[in-house]
Amino acid sequence: MDIPAQIQPLVKGHMEALGELTVEVAAEDLVAACQVLKAQHKFVRLSTVTAVDRFPAEPRFEVVYHLYSIEHNQRLRLKCHVGGEAPEVDSVTGVWQGANWYEREVFDLFGIRFRNHPNLTRIMMPEDWQGHPLRKDYPVNGFK
Amino acid sequence: MSYIQNQFERNIVTTSVDYVFNWARQSSLWPLTFGLACCAIEMIAASTSRFDIARFGAEVFRPSPRQSDLMIVAGTVTLKMAPVLKRIWDQMPEPKWCISMGACSSVGGPFNTYGVLQGVDKIVPVDVYVTGCPPRPENLFYALLKLQEKIDTTPNLVKRPTEVRLEESMLDQFKQQIRIAQIQNPV
């Protein structure tokens, strides 16, 4: 699969491995790229939103979106880097409603905030929990 | 006893309060339907015809804590589930007993992680611990027999002490650990 022409100007980097295309965009261009991909390339399904913590590196987090086009039977992996003390990225709930809980999960476990999210609260950990457990600088062990 | 024995008609039996009450309680334990993880599958298997928990009079799994007197904590207790478990335990009427089934609910098992309670005995008093990961149904039956032995020796005219070992410092220590970990650079 080739990189769709309409998002070509937004692409910062790309990689193809095992027939799967990974496209990286800047965090500011994320929603624009998603809108184009959904409207013009029929990526109507957002399979998942997740994140990767590359702790000592900066920018620290990669937010990963897996898209699927039912019409063309194609998959696309979309990435953007965020970092800093309070990592923030635009929410894609305006494009896919289903992103709501995925983004809550990423916020809960990685502490990445999503701008314009309708209800950015914890979804897995207890409401009064402190910290974000899947960060690399979070203690691995529990308490005895 | 011997003084009043044979003083009445033949169909009167004299016995003690403790004996009758304990006999009734141990012979018809009503467990709560409360499965948390894979141990619950073994608990369900224990109630099937192959293993048949009804042989021990404990087959009436009740969906309501108000009607049950035995809580089998079958599985990993996460910190998010712990308040729910405590509340269900509090809703059960006295007398009540608790079996901690499997490694996870007894000591946390393999999950020494941020989200798992390290032993259900930190929030509810446990009568019998079952080893195994998960324990076989026979193992659960052994615990049930042990519990019946324990009930048999309980004095009833004295109230059963409910001892709860809740460590208040537990959560504070963990929060402090998180704070320290966020300041330092572990790499």
Side-chain angles (χ1 to χ4, degrees):
Chain A
M1 180 191 172
D2 300 322
I3 302 170
Q6 285 87 345
I7 64 161
Q8 195 82 51
L10 306 176
V11 171
K12 283 172 67 186
H14 66 94
M15 187 184 76
E16 185 154 0
L18 305 172
E20 297 174 358
L21 181 65
T22 304
V23 173
E24 194 193 325
V25 296
E28 312 86 76
D29 302 332
L30 179 73
V31 176
C34 287
Q35 273 163 348
V36 170
L37 285 170
K38 188 187 179 190
Q40 300 183 15
H41 293 273
K42 300 287 188 287
F43 282 102
V44 290
R45 181 171 148 76
L46 177 67
S47 295
T48 187
V49 179
T50 184
V52 185
D53 186 3
R54 314 252 181 224
F55 170 52
E58 190 64 40
R60 187 174 156 176
F61 296 103
E62 285 172 11
V63 188
V64 186
Y65 300 79
H66 290 107
L67 313 182
Y68 180 56
S69 164
I70 297 169
E71 200 168 315
H72 301 132
N73 191 19
Q74 280 177 340
R75 290 174 195 278
L76 180 72
R77 190 178 294 125
L78 201 63
K79 272 187 186 178
C80 68
H81 281 90
V82 284
E85 280 297 303
E88 271 199 345
V89 65
D90 285 320
S91 168
V92 295
T93 43
V95 188
W96 296 281
Q97 281 287 311
N100 189 326
W101 281 22
Y102 293 140
E103 290 180 344
R104 279 177 69 187
E105 183 185 350
V106 170
F107 161 70
D108 192 357
L109 300 178
F110 287 95
I112 299 167
R113 299 198 73 87
F114 289 86
R115 281 185 292 260
N116 305 323
H117 191 282
N119 177 30
L120 196 65
T121 51
R122 287 190 183 275
I123 189 169
M124 288 180 159
M125 304 305 294
E127 285 80 6
D128 58 345
W129 194 263
Q130 289 183 350
H132 302 283
L134 285 191
R135 287 190 171 190
K136 289 288 183 236
D137 53 358
Y138 196 86
V140 174
N141 289 336
F143 45 90
K144 277 290 183 187
Chain B
M1 288 292 179
S2 56
Y3 178 72
I4 55 172
Q5 225 152 22
N6 304 323
Q7 301 291 313
F8 306 101
E9 297 291 330
R10 276 177 165 249
N11 54 0
I12 288 182
V13 180
T14 55
T15 180
S16 68
V17 172
D18 274 5
Y19 180 82
V20 174
F21 273 50
N22 287 339
W23 169 76
R25 281 170 181 171
Q26 82 185 46
S27 312
S28 67
L29 284 166
W30 286 16
L32 179 66
T33 315
F34 191 56
L36 293 172
C38 39
C39 282
I41 305 299
E42 296 295 312
M43 186 174 74
I44 294 162
S47 69
T48 57
S49 56
R50 186 185 175 95
F51 299 102
D52 200 9
I53 202 170
R55 291 178 293 159
F56 308 98
E59 80 278 20
V60 198
F61 278 87
R62 288 285 122 173
S64 161
R66 313 264 182 210
Q67 300 170 352
S68 49
D69 50 12
L70 169 64
M71 184 162 78
I72 303 174
V73 185
T76 320
V77 185
T78 57
L79 289 182
K80 200 169 181 179
M81 196 61 191
V84 182
L85 187 143
K86 181 75 170 70
R87 189 171 172 187
I88 288 173
W89 172 256
D90 289 341
Q91 285 175 348
M92 285 167 60
E94 291 274 358
K96 54 188 172 184
W97 297 274
C98 178
I99 290 178
S100 167
M101 181 179 180
C104 286
S105 64
S106 298
V107 291
F111 304 111
N112 183 19
T113 58
Y114 58 86
V116 175
L117 185 69
Q118 303 297 307
V120 76
D121 53 1
K122 285 187 164 60
I123 53 170
V124 294
V126 176
D127 292 289
V128 184
Y129 298 86
V130 191
T131 59
C133 183
R136 282 191 59 84
E138 293 91 331
N139 218 339
L140 181 62
F141 294 156
Y142 185 67
L144 198 62
L145 293 173
K146 279 287 172 196
L147 181 62
Q148 289 181 347
E149 275 176 32
K150 181 176 179 175
I151 296 169
D152 202 22
T153 54
T154 310
N156 279 308
L157 298 176
V158 190
K159 195 177 174 344
R160 177 173 170 272
T162 308
E163 187 190 334
V164 179
R165 285 193 283 134
L166 178 62
E167 291 176 31
E168 296 289 339
S169 61
M170 184 179 74
L171 194 59
D172 291 333
Q173 278 174 3
F174 186 57
K175 283 177 180 170
Q176 197 180 4
Q177 198 188 344
I178 294 168
R179 261 179 247 122
I180 291 166
Q182 284 177 343
I183 293 163
Q184 289 175 342
N185 189 342
V187 177

